[in-house]
């Protein structure tokens, strides 16, 4: 039996402050092998294109909103 005492906690990395009408790339780090990530935007923004592994491009139509990622194994 293997027990991970301090497994890494993935976080979303990328700029916290953005300009309206800009596109920004975010990533989940560290990405866990064998996992997929589903990104969702709340507020004034939308995801662009197809997500690439642990990365997603977001287009912010204003400077308010939030990004969430769900890890799936």
């Amino acid at each position: 039996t293997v027990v991970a005492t301090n497994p890494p906690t993935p976080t979303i990395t990328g700029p916290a402050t953005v300009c309206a009408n800009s596109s920004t790339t975010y990533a989940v780090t560290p990405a866990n092998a064998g996992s997929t990530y589903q990104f969702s935007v709340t507020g004034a923004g939308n995801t662009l294109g197809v997500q690439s592994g642990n990365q997603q491009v977001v287009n912010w139509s204003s400077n308010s909103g939030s990004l969430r990622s769900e890890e799936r194994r």
Side-chain angles (χ1 to χ4, degrees):
T1 302
V2 175
V3 177
T5 56
N6 289 319
T9 303
T11 58
I12 297 175
T13 59
T17 304
V18 297
C19 296
N21 301 311
S22 66
S23 296
T24 307
T25 300
Y26 295 91
V28 174
T29 58
N32 291 316
S35 292
T36 60
Y37 298 90
Q38 179 66 44
F39 290 85
S40 60
V41 176
T42 302
N46 62 308
T47 57
L48 293 177
V50 176
Q51 166 187 333
S52 175
N54 67 324
Q55 296 185 346
Q56 179 66 63
V57 177
V58 177
N59 183 48
W60 299 105
S61 55
S62 78
N63 58 357
S64 67
S66 62
L67 177 65
R68 180 176 184 270
S69 179
E70 180 180 323
E71 180 180 9
R72 298 181 181 172
R73 288 187 167 252

